[in-house]
Amino acid sequence: MNAAAIKEEAAVPSPGRLTRLFFPLAVQAASQSLCYPLVAMVAMRGENGPSDLAGLAQSNTVLFFLGMFAISLVPTGMVYARTREGYRRFHRLSLVIGTLAGAVQALLCIPSASHFLFGRLIGLPPEMEASAQVSLLASIPLQVLFFSRIPYFVAMYIGQATGIASLATIGRVAFTALLSPLFCLFGAVGPVWAVVALTLPVGLEAVVSGVFAQRFIRQLPDGAEPPPSVRDILRFNFPLTVGGYFLSLATIAVAAFIARAPEPEVVLPVYYLVLGLANPVAFAATRMQTITLMFPPTGPVRRRTLQFSIGAGLILGLIPLAFILPGVAELYYVRLQNLDPQHLGIVRRTALALLFFPLAVALRAQVEGVAAYLRRSVSVLIGHAALLATIGAFGMATLALSLPGYLIGAVCLTMGSAASSATMRLNLRLIPPPGI
């Protein structure tokens, strides 16, 4: 083995190092998603019960759809915000985009627009539609707060301080876990109060993250090359954002397919309750993108992160199954989430059907990180387009086969991410980047 090969092998992160970096990110990501099942108890105890929860879930889907720039800004920042001036430009751009996203959300809260979106396009029943409309209006401040945190997280990720970055989010979850039962205790229930229980902790998280990030911002180098222009950042970010919109649109499409399957008034609330646990672990799997962006994607590094993503995805997929065990299922779904006990069978079938969803997401996130590091954001866009197309094809096929709604959702989500991953890997292989 020559000196260059020895040096390359030494640069490959060990499984232990990847675990130390990934675990805080996974906890942070899962914790963020766990806030939603925590506030589900607030929504479920509203006047319309499960309909309020389903309406809140649909408004959150639209919230994330409009805020997709926030997700795509993380890899963009890890590529372009590695110098002080680059970071300053990235920070300003993040705040501007967040303000614009909040303004667009306000326009969608106009009654005619929200009725077209929730009632006609998605096809929600009237009670769910009303809950979705009021939730979307109440969550405008939440949208802006999401963007304010992004630059601080990016600075800590660049410094590989994943443990410190996760602390603010864990505090957010703890605050949400405190507020939700208090709101229920004092009768502050329903979709609007559920949004309030989400918003206050995110505000605290943004402030604490800003304090933690200052040390890492000061450590950024001045940079020998001219800083990236706003146009360069947007040109790189645009395909990632469009691809992210495909992901959000795919989530809405899955709900639309389930709403047109038999018994949507029963299946949709149950599906969202189970997804409230499957989504946190799947969101944790998306942090493989951040891990991959921390290392130059040489051949050995890519193989190591791919192997790690397979192991992490399989382990994450087992976690929601713990909540369908006898006794635990009754405690969580029936007592805590106020679910009718007769629907526990659907809960268990839905959880089992989603077993490989986190694995598919982890594999997709790993190749997204490789493509982003190589500044091949168009490859990510192509992969996400494949995801949306796959979900559309499988959704129509499963409806034609009259499959139950919970199975439609699980098949569409898992196969969509698998197709996206395969498409991106094929694209990178057919057009290999120079020097890799």
Side-chain angles (χ1 to χ4, degrees):
M1 183 179 293
N2 58 36
I6 294 174
K7 182 177 180 181
E8 184 179 76
E9 187 67 26
V12 178
S14 67
R17 185 181 181 191
L18 289 176
T19 301
R20 289 190 296 272
L21 289 171
F22 179 74
F23 182 74
L25 288 175
V27 171
Q28 181 186 40
S31 298
Q32 288 176 323
S33 296
L34 281 174
C35 291
Y36 301 96
L38 283 171
V39 301
M41 68 177 73
V42 179
M44 278 285 284
R45 285 165 173 76
E47 181 180 354
N48 299 313
S51 294
D52 280 341
L53 173 63
L56 174 66
Q58 283 298 320
S59 74
N60 282 339
T61 300
V62 176
L63 174 81
F64 300 144
F65 182 80
L66 294 175
M68 188 52 61
F69 261 106
I71 297 177
S72 60
L73 281 172
V74 172
T76 300
M78 293 190 70
V79 173
Y80 286 100
R82 292 181 174 272
T83 64
R84 291 184 182 181
E85 183 57 32
Y87 178 84
R88 282 193 287 267
R89 294 189 180 186
F90 172 73
H91 194 175
R92 288 195 298 268
L93 183 63
S94 298
L95 295 180
V96 170
I97 294 174
T99 302
L100 290 175
V104 173
Q105 184 170 331
L107 292 176
L108 286 179
C109 292
I110 297 173
S112 58
S114 60
H115 172 65
F116 174 80
L117 175 62
F118 293 116
R120 299 182 61 183
L121 186 61
I122 300 179
L124 295 180
E127 288 184 350
M128 291 184 189
E129 178 187 345
S131 297
Q133 290 173 344
V134 70
S135 300
L136 188 65
L137 178 62
S139 61
I140 293 175
L142 182 63
Q143 181 74 271
V144 178
L145 284 171
F146 280 148
F147 280 88
S148 69
R149 312 167 307 164
I150 298 300
Y152 304 134
F153 285 143
V154 165
M156 289 184 280
Y157 294 159
I158 290 174
Q160 297 191 4
T162 57
I164 296 175
S166 68
L167 292 178
T169 303
I170 294 173
R172 167 192 167 190
V173 178
F175 192 22
T176 306
L178 175 65
L179 287 181
S180 295
L182 283 178
F183 280 18
C184 294
L185 180 63
F186 290 101
V189 294
V192 173
W193 284 109
V195 172
V196 174
L198 282 172
T199 305
L200 293 178
V202 172
L204 177 64
E205 180 189 29
V207 172
V208 175
S209 297
V211 174
F212 287 165
Q214 292 309 307
R215 173 163 64 96
F216 301 97
I217 296 173
R218 289 192 297 267
Q219 290 175 354
L220 292 173
D222 291 329
E225 300 179 357
S229 66
V230 172
R231 179 178 298 181
D232 290 336
I233 297 175
L234 288 176
R235 186 185 295 118
F236 175 85
N237 183 260
F238 183 74
L240 297 181
T241 301
V242 175
Y245 280 130
F246 285 167
L247 294 182
S248 290
L249 188 59
T251 304
I252 296 174
V254 171
F257 286 128
I258 297 175
R260 287 161 175 78
E263 298 183 300
E265 67 282 355
V266 173
V267 176
L268 263 177
V270 171
Y271 172 76
Y272 279 120
L273 277 178
V274 177
L275 208 61
L277 292 175
N279 265 342
V281 294
F283 195 34
T286 65
R287 290 303 196 246
M288 278 307 306
Q289 182 192 61
T290 304
I291 292 296
T292 306
L293 278 165
M294 292 179 182
F295 306 97
T298 60
V301 171
R302 290 168 70 169
R303 287 191 293 272
R304 177 61 54 82
T305 56
L306 176 60
Q307 293 165 358
F308 186 83
S309 67
I310 293 173
L314 289 172
I315 293 172
L316 289 170
L318 295 173
I319 294 175
L321 300 187
F323 290 84
I324 64 173
L325 296 174
V328 179
E330 286 78 7
L331 175 63
Y332 177 76
Y333 286 106
V334 177
R335 296 184 184 179
L336 186 59
Q337 299 294 0
N338 203 31
L339 180 73
D340 191 326
Q342 67 176 331
H343 297 147
L344 281 178
I346 302 178
V347 164
R348 290 190 168 96
R349 291 193 292 272
T350 305
L352 288 170
L354 288 166
L355 173 62
F356 294 108
F357 175 44
L359 172 61
V361 172
L363 292 173
R364 189 191 81 212
Q366 186 266 346
V367 71
E368 286 173 356
V370 172
Y373 195 104
L374 300 173
R375 303 195 179 187
R376 295 277 297 277
S377 55
V378 174
S379 297
V380 179
L381 172 60
I382 293 171
H384 290 178
L387 181 147
L388 180 59
T390 301
I391 285 180
F394 272 86
M396 289 185 289
T398 50
L399 273 180
L401 293 172
S402 299
L403 295 183
Y406 71 87
L407 193 56
I408 291 175
V411 169
C412 286
L413 290 177
T414 304
M415 296 307 299
S417 284
S420 176
S421 174
T423 301
M424 282 184 277
R425 295 181 198 282
L426 179 62
N427 182 264
L428 291 177
R429 181 174 297 179
L430 292 177
I431 312 175
I436 299 298

